[in-house]
Amino acid sequence: MSRTVGIIGYGAYIPRNRIKVEEIAKIWGADAPSYKKGLMLREKSVPSPDQDTITMAVEAAKNALKRCTINPEEIGAIYVGSESHPYAVKPSGTVVAEAIGATPSIHCADFEFACKAGSEAMFVAHGLVKAGLIKYGLGIGADTSQGAPGDALEYSASAGAAAFIFGENDLLAEIEETYSFMTDTPDFWRREHQFYPQHAGRFTGETAYFKHSLSAAMGIMEKSGTKPDDFDFAVFHQPNGKFPLRVGKTLGFPKEKIETGWLVPTLGNTYSGASPLGLTAVLDAAKPGNRILMVSYGSGAGSDAFIFKCTDKLIEVQNNAKLTRDYLDKNQKYLDYGTYSKYRKKIIKNA
Amino acid sequence: MGITARNWREYPQRYRLEAAKCSQCGKVFFPPRLICNQCKSRKFETIKLPGEGTVKTFTVIRVAPTNFIDEVPYAIGIIELLEGFSTMMQIADCDPEKISIGMKVKLEFRKIQSDGEAGVIMYGYKAVPVSE
């Protein structure tokens, strides 16, 4: 008999630094209002110089542990999905495991799949619990995204992390269904030793983001026999403000069902953290019985889709850790472009 | 390479804030010691220091060691984590001019330094004001 598996703890982390679209646009002679309108995005988060994918993953994991009562030593796997792992060779997951006290009986791996690496960590962690191989699994999506100076990506590439602990008992949200849709579509990539990713401009839209997001959403609804009316919330990958709203509209989800997890206008695109962070914001606000559709998207390209159903226990733990919207909407520190460049190591110092 | 091994040996303190509490007199040591300097006991229990505290005192660094020159000005503080127990750490993510004695802080996992551009990255905890 198939096991019922779900989220037993979740947590978010967003750095406090922000930079506004106007501040970036003025450096490159770009028209800020058109960028803001085109991307539906006003500002983005920026990591401090002492923050990276690992530090944010640890903070998100600690918040996830605050929302459950498990012994970290019983976590059987930690997977960190990111396209900005601090090391080219050396795992991020082992640092997270050591920091939360989950070593040494544990399996760690780092995942990469552009913006889908976080949902892929979630998918594998939950799958191992479902298979009965581990008691608890921790899946994390975290990124300090990079956008080349002056490129359209620079206006959106931001930083954040979301962590989810999966288990069989004391569920906050049951996973009712999963479905993944992928093809080989080269819409965005970064070659070895390159600082910044390249993208294929408009090719990243219809053939890539929309095709995979829509196919995964339709696929999971067909597989589960559900329709948009059966969901209270939907979270789609959010590389900018417009794309997830258009996917929702095409599928028949009203804006009200998307807004709760639609963080991108003031967060930017946290890449591997994007749809997972949206999910944390939804879980912060959801009520028992609510059903959530989450669809990630990663260039290259593919989408992972999940259907979650919230349990009675969710509302007992929502306030046990800092809420995602509190990270997003409070205590922001706005940077000028010079400080941002220094923080993001865009200034080359040749001694 | 020496710094890599030393950093690794200190993971319990740097990554998990594990301190040693004397089983006989209760004095807390961070980092742990083999012999309690108060009662000479050799028995300790491992405790985890809390993730928040208050600034007991602080100073602002304007001329920094090589690994920290890009961070000036930054603050180093004595942070009281338990009643009667304090430890020193960097106070991050804030304007040093706005730090005050008695300010509430939480501890966040951060990069402390790295062994050059190609060496290991050393992580640990820094104090971050709860709200500036």
Side-chain angles (χ1 to χ4, degrees):
Chain A
M1 194 180 122
S2 181
R3 294 160 191 267
T4 302
V5 169
I7 295 169
I8 62 162
Y10 70 94
Y13 185 84
I14 298 169
R16 68 174 294 209
N17 307 305
R18 302 282 184 279
I19 187 165
K20 289 182 182 288
V21 165
E22 288 86 348
E23 184 64 24
I24 301 173
K26 81 177 182 194
I27 300 298
W28 301 110
D31 183 45
S34 11
Y35 267 100
K36 287 169 79 172
K37 193 176 165 209
L39 297 172
M40 282 181 91
L41 186 151
R42 303 193 293 278
E43 59 195 55
K44 66 168 190 171
S45 66
V46 180
S48 287
D50 59 359
Q51 293 183 303
D52 61 19
T53 284
I54 288 176
T55 65
M56 295 190 303
V58 168
E59 287 300 316
K62 282 163 54 191
N63 281 335
L65 284 164
K66 287 179 188 167
R67 289 191 170 105
C68 57
T69 52
I70 66 164
N71 178 352
E73 288 180 1
E74 292 186 308
I75 296 173
I78 295 182
Y79 300 123
V80 182
S82 179
E83 62 141 51
S84 50
H85 290 290
Y87 289 95
V89 178
K90 194 208 163 300
S92 302
T94 50
V95 184
V96 177
E98 200 76 57
I100 64 169
T103 52
S105 296
I106 190 157
H107 185 254
C108 291
D110 290 354
F111 290 154
E112 272 191 32
F113 195 139
C115 298
K116 193 182 80 65
S119 67
E120 152 179 283
M122 294 166 66
F123 181 83
V124 177
H126 116 275
L128 290 176
V129 176
K130 201 170 177 71
L133 290 173
I134 56 173
K135 187 171 182 184
Y136 304 117
L138 171 57
I140 301 173
D143 253 314
T144 53
S145 319
Q146 291 280 6
D151 187 87
L153 282 179
E154 191 182 25
Y155 295 88
S156 60
S158 65
F164 302 87
I165 303 172
F166 298 94
E168 263 191 288
N169 300 310
D170 295 323
L171 304 185
L172 308 181
E174 177 192 335
I175 295 179
E176 290 191 323
E177 193 61 84
T178 63
Y179 176 73
S180 292
F181 181 94
M182 19 230 85
T183 67
D184 185 51
T185 306
D187 59 322
F188 171 104
W189 60 89
R190 179 165 64 81
R191 296 277 301 274
E192 186 102 76
H193 307 306
Q194 297 296 307
F195 285 120
Y196 302 108
Q198 303 270 316
H199 58 84
R202 298 183 72 83
F203 183 65
T204 60
E206 297 304 331
T207 46
Y209 175 87
F210 290 105
K211 175 183 166 183
H212 294 81
S213 299
L214 290 167
S215 300
M218 289 188 288
I220 199 169
M221 285 194 279
E222 189 184 336
K223 192 178 170 191
S224 60
T226 53
K227 53 191 185 308
D229 284 349
D230 297 321
F231 296 92
D232 301 283
F233 300 99
V235 181
F236 302 106
H237 176 50
Q238 30 202 302
N240 55 55
K242 269 189 177 168
F243 277 22
L245 293 186
R246 203 177 123 193
V247 165
K249 195 174 175 187
T250 307
L251 290 165
F253 286 93
K255 196 178 174 190
E256 304 79 67
K257 291 188 178 181
I258 296 171
E259 275 176 330
T260 308
W262 188 57
L263 310 177
V264 60
T266 50
L267 174 62
N269 179 6
T270 50
Y271 286 33
S272 302
S275 49
L277 267 168
L279 177 62
T280 64
V282 168
L283 289 170
D284 281 347
K287 294 186 169 51
N290 282 170
R291 190 175 272 140
I292 305 161
L293 171 67
M294 173 187 155
V295 181
S296 67
Y297 172 73
S299 292
S303 288
D304 295 322
F306 298 83
I307 294 174
F308 300 99
K309 191 172 184 189
C310 302
T311 70
D312 293 345
K313 193 169 170 56
L314 177 63
I315 49 172
E316 294 170 23
V317 304
Q318 282 166 330
N319 290 308
N320 286 5
K322 190 166 173 177
L323 302 174
T324 303
R325 287 278 177 187
D326 284 349
Y327 274 115
L328 190 60
D329 300 335
K330 294 179 181 172
N331 200 32
Q332 305 97 319
K333 182 180 168 193
Y334 288 91
L335 307 179
D336 56 34
Y337 194 85
T339 309
Y340 162 78
S341 304
K342 181 182 164 188
Y343 279 16
R344 299 303 291 131
K345 300 196 186 307
K346 291 174 191 282
I347 299 171
I348 297 168
K349 295 197 290 184
N350 280 334
Chain B
M1 190 56 83
I3 198 169
T4 303
R6 179 185 159 183
N7 179 62
W8 174 78
R9 277 196 295 276
E10 293 171 350
Y11 277 177
Q13 293 83 53
R14 291 184 183 274
Y15 281 17
R16 296 190 295 274
L17 295 167
E18 286 180 7
K21 185 178 179 184
C22 176
S23 303
Q24 193 163 291
C25 73
K27 189 169 179 182
V28 174
F29 295 95
F30 183 77
R33 294 172 62 122
L34 289 174
I35 303 170
C36 174
N37 67 357
Q38 187 163 272
C39 73
K40 313 300 178 214
S41 167
R42 288 170 183 262
K43 286 187 179 166
F44 294 90
E45 63 169 311
T46 300
I47 62 162
K48 197 176 171 197
L49 296 173
E52 45 198 46
T54 52
V55 176
K56 219 169 160 185
T57 188
F58 68 99
T59 188
V60 179
I61 308 294
R62 297 176 196 279
V63 181
T66 315
N67 270 3
F68 297 87
I69 52 173
D70 287 346
E71 297 181 41
V72 293
Y74 62 90
I76 297 283
I78 305 286
I79 310 298
E80 185 166 63
L81 294 174
L82 299 167
E83 199 178 325
F85 174 80
S86 304
T87 188
M88 188 167 73
M89 63 180 69
Q90 198 170 331
I91 305 173
D93 253 8
C94 62
D95 178 354
E97 303 302 324
K98 292 185 179 166
I99 299 171
S100 59
I101 290 170
M103 180 185 255
K104 287 197 182 313
V105 290
K106 61 183 171 157
L107 307 194
E108 283 196 5
F109 200 69
R110 299 287 176 118
K111 280 191 282 187
I112 305 295
Q113 59 176 321
S114 60
D115 189 10
E117 281 297 307
V120 293
I121 304 165
M122 284 160 261
Y123 295 95
Y125 280 89
K126 292 185 183 178
V128 177
V130 170
S131 59
E132 199 185 350

